[in-house]
Amino acid sequence: MGRDGGGPRVARAIVCLVPVGFFVASVVATAANRDGAGHLVAATAVLAVTLGLHLLHSTRAAVRRRKPWWPWSLVAHGAVTYAPYCFFQDTWVGIPGSFAAAVLLTMPVPQAWTAFAVLSALQVPLVAALGETTWQGLNSAVSHVVGGLALFGVVRLADLAQELQEARTELARQAVDRERLRFARDLHDLCGYSLTAVALQSEQIQWLVRSDPQRAEEELARTQALARHALSEVRAVSAGYRVLSLEREARAAAGLLESLGVAADVELAESPLPGPVDETLAIVVREGVTNALRHSKARHCAIRLTVDSGRADGGWARLEVSNDGVAPGDEPTGSRLVGGPGGSGLRNLRERVAERGGVLTAEVNGEGGFRLAVALPCVSRDVVSDGAAGRV
């Protein structure tokens, strides 16, 4: 899996190696007491059970989701930790802090830390009861605390390493999803307009072939140019960049509308706009004109831009695309008008405008007209996280 995927595996390996190291050290210390082979075998068997119970309580499932059996396994862990004192007396060398670490890993907070403190403090009277000095009791208590925290710490760090890996995987998945959404949105916003124009002009050519062959030939040449333009836009989207200009798109839209018999009125303020604002408004023009051509029987379409300049906040750019061709019975909440189930154009626009801190309005005016209005702050707000703020 590489360097990124190896972290959790290494952490889990350490989770196993640390208690195994304590186990080996305890076995060696027991052998150093020279109490005989029988004593060593019995102590080693108990230590092995203690190690197994600790590893059971160190599993990720036990740490994150307490199983129904954890109280009984915890009791068994405590028994194999403290019962040997009754048989081996002061020669018993357990795995330091193993049971205390299991308490921290399985019990809920803050009860776990209270129990941990109590168990650590009990080491002093326990060692004293076995005939050892107070200083030896304090040493045992310190070993208990250090061992317990060490075992608890490596398990929690391994768990956090796994959670970090999962979080990175989820972030990567979300980044891929965002990029797919961006690509789909750009493809719709940039190519839907040209392809709609090609479809409409093809229908017009069909009617002109018999009645006016010469004009049909002219319209066919125009349609071919639009098709080539759409192809270039598809290539631009696939390459990951496409720079739009509001003025260029508005003029091109006006020419297309007029070629299809729709009167176009374009009024653009001469105030310069920030690049991201200019590109967003260019896409608004495309979607507004596409709506006028696909979803209405417009005879007139107006594109107007005003800019409130000279204000302390940098001013606002207000663009309005309106047409007079809404069919009777269409409502402002119709899917065709607001990008609902019937289409995603205006839904995409709302997302783009919201990213720039603007407001979008799409409404029927009640007189057979439809109005698409956008207000954007002229101060560019770079809130696009994927580095595509100046690119669509």
Side-chain angles (χ1 to χ4, degrees):
M1 187 178 295
R3 185 173 57 184
D4 292 340
R9 288 201 299 268
V10 172
R12 286 294 158 189
I14 294 175
V15 168
C16 296
L17 289 176
V18 171
V20 168
F22 278 119
F23 167 78
V24 173
S26 298
V27 171
V28 171
T30 302
N33 290 328
R34 298 181 179 179
D35 292 322
H39 179 279
L40 178 60
V41 171
T44 301
V46 177
L47 286 171
V49 174
T50 304
L51 173 64
L53 287 170
H54 173 77
L55 294 176
L56 175 66
H57 292 137
S58 300
T59 60
R60 195 157 183 257
V63 174
R64 300 187 69 182
R65 298 182 296 275
R66 297 178 182 88
K67 298 297 185 178
W69 44 258
W70 77 262
W72 303 106
S73 64
L74 201 61
V75 169
H77 199 163
V80 297
T81 299
Y82 293 105
Y85 283 105
C86 300
F87 304 99
F88 302 127
Q89 298 298 319
D90 57 344
T91 62
W92 168 241
V93 182
I95 299 178
S98 172
F99 178 60
V103 167
L104 290 177
L105 292 170
T106 56
M107 291 183 64
V109 179
Q111 293 91 329
W113 288 101
T114 302
F116 178 82
V118 171
L119 290 173
S120 301
L122 285 177
Q123 287 297 115
V124 177
L126 176 61
V127 172
L130 297 174
E132 303 293 340
T133 65
T134 302
W135 289 110
Q136 288 174 319
L138 290 174
N139 180 66
S140 177
V142 171
S143 298
H144 186 273
V145 171
V146 173
L149 291 178
L151 292 172
F152 169 74
V154 294
V155 173
R156 287 299 298 136
L157 286 176
D159 198 44
L160 292 175
Q162 183 66 37
E163 292 176 2
L164 177 61
Q165 180 65 26
E166 291 176 355
R168 293 178 64 181
T169 301
E170 177 63 18
L171 289 175
R173 185 191 65 79
Q174 292 179 2
V176 171
D177 289 343
R178 285 195 301 269
E179 183 62 16
R180 286 174 177 170
L181 178 61
R182 182 196 68 81
F183 184 84
R185 189 173 62 181
D186 289 353
L187 191 63
H188 175 279
D189 293 343
L190 295 175
C191 303
Y193 166 81
S194 298
L195 295 178
T196 297
V198 169
L200 292 173
Q201 285 201 322
S202 298
E203 293 177 2
Q204 187 178 30
I205 293 171
Q206 185 178 11
W207 292 101
L208 291 174
V209 168
R210 293 185 177 86
S211 61
D212 192 346
Q214 183 176 357
R215 187 182 172 190
E217 185 177 352
E218 295 174 356
E219 293 298 329
L220 182 59
R222 186 191 296 270
T223 302
Q224 290 173 339
L226 282 171
R228 285 192 293 268
H229 180 65
L231 179 60
S232 67
E233 289 183 332
V234 170
R235 290 171 176 167
V237 171
S238 63
Y241 65 90
R242 175 70 164 92
V243 179
L244 296 179
S245 165
L246 172 59
E247 182 178 2
R248 184 170 60 247
E249 294 300 325
R251 302 303 177 190
L256 173 63
L257 289 167
E258 291 175 353
S259 70
L260 296 174
V262 180
D265 182 12
V266 178
E267 296 181 11
L268 302 179
E270 296 183 357
S271 300
L273 298 174
V277 175
D278 189 67
E279 291 182 12
T280 302
L281 294 180
I283 294 174
V284 172
V285 168
R286 282 181 162 239
E287 183 60 28
V289 173
T290 300
N291 271 336
L293 295 176
R294 294 178 59 188
H295 304 317
S296 73
K297 298 179 180 179
R299 309 313 302 168
H300 180 270
C301 184
I303 303 172
R304 292 185 174 86
L305 171 71
T306 58
V307 180
D308 304 330
S309 58
R311 294 173 47 176
D313 60 358
W316 284 69
R318 306 180 190 278
L319 178 70
E320 180 177 309
V321 181
S322 58
N323 68 78
D324 60 356
V326 176
D330 278 338
E331 300 294 335
T333 56
S335 64
R336 295 185 301 158
L337 300 179
V338 296
S344 60
L346 293 183
R347 183 170 62 248
N348 290 342
L349 280 188
R350 290 185 190 279
E351 294 173 359
R352 288 184 183 276
V353 171
E355 287 176 355
R356 298 295 170 195
V359 180
L360 181 145
T361 303
E363 60 186 3
V364 175
N365 62 17
E367 300 177 356
F370 177 69
R371 172 177 172 269
L372 176 64
V374 172
L376 286 176
C378 289
V379 177
S380 179
R381 296 178 55 182
D382 188 10
V383 297
V384 182
S385 61
D386 62 1
R391 184 188 71 190
V392 292

